[in-house]
Amino acid sequence: VTGTQASISLPAGVSHNLWTGALDAPRLIQSAPDTDFEIEAKYDSVVSSKYQMQGLVAQQDMLNFIRFDAFHDGGGTRLFAAKFSGGSASLVKNSKVTITGAVYLRLGRVGNAWSFDYSLDGENWQNFASTNHTLNISDVGAFVGNHGTSASNSPAFTGLLDYFFNTAAPIENEDGMV
């Protein structure tokens, strides 16, 4: 930790991905009840090299989960959402966005309906996507990753997580927002 953030540093040349067959992205995970919820994270870091990523994950186990993140595709920042069932991935949405500073991400669940929202200021939220996906949630959290077409060209990346919480029980953060 830096005193105000969780700092997760990934070296260059080693892939840390959250994908089928490659569930090795570092995650800050906490147990969660299998109920409706909405989690939120603020990342102060900016993805700036191809396949740097930072986001949220809700998982039943290592084969069944859902993820929502901001990543760099080599030409700019994209938001990405995918769901995983039995180890197989299904794209929910992958779309270019303009993010030049902090990014706020929310992942919400009501029954089997999931929502993916983002904000650039923590106050004005935009829906990015929604989907249906059946999961028996055991854990939720934040992750940071890097990936390349081969492990040797994965970019170094340090993700700076300002906060992570369940919106039903928000914390007062150092920015003075609730």
Side-chain angles (χ1 to χ4, degrees):
V1 295
T2 67
T4 60
Q5 304 157 317
S7 174
I8 304 169
S9 294
L10 306 175
V14 178
S15 180
H16 298 88
N17 202 358
L18 190 57
W19 196 250
T20 60
L23 302 173
D24 53 11
R27 298 178 295 282
L28 299 175
I29 298 291
Q30 65 185 45
S31 296
D34 187 28
T35 60
D36 297 344
F37 64 86
E38 182 179 67
I39 54 176
E40 177 179 320
K42 177 189 177 197
Y43 284 94
D44 288 331
S45 44
V46 176
V47 292
S48 59
S49 292
K50 191 171 187 176
Y51 299 134
Q52 293 174 336
M53 61 189 87
Q54 54 194 6
L56 296 170
V57 61
Q59 59 190 48
Q60 174 178 311
D61 53 41
M62 298 306 286
L63 299 176
N64 301 282
F65 59 97
I66 199 158
R67 72 180 250 195
F68 177 42
D69 55 273
F71 82 96
H72 199 282
D73 69 357
T77 304
R78 301 183 76 81
L79 289 177
F80 180 84
K83 54 188 178 180
F84 299 77
S85 183
S88 296
S90 297
L91 176 67
V92 175
K93 188 173 180 181
N94 180 355
S95 185
K96 187 170 184 160
V97 293
T98 300
I99 299 173
T100 58
V103 62
Y104 300 75
L105 301 173
R106 280 186 180 164
L107 176 60
R109 173 192 185 195
V110 177
N112 293 326
W114 295 84
S115 61
F116 308 85
D117 302 314
Y118 75 101
S119 174
L120 302 179
D121 61 11
E123 294 182 26
N124 299 298
W125 290 88
Q126 296 180 329
N127 179 260
F128 173 68
S130 59
T131 193
N132 287 312
H133 189 45
T134 303
L135 288 176
N136 295 315
I137 295 299
S138 62
D139 305 293
V140 297
F143 76 95
V144 172
N146 63 348
H147 183 64
T149 54
S150 68
S152 64
N153 68 3
S154 296
F157 181 55
T158 298
L160 298 173
L161 179 63
D162 185 12
Y163 66 79
F164 168 85
F165 59 72
N166 182 326
T167 60
I171 58 173
E172 182 76 24
N173 67 52
E174 73 277 4
D175 299 328
M177 298 172 56
V178 177

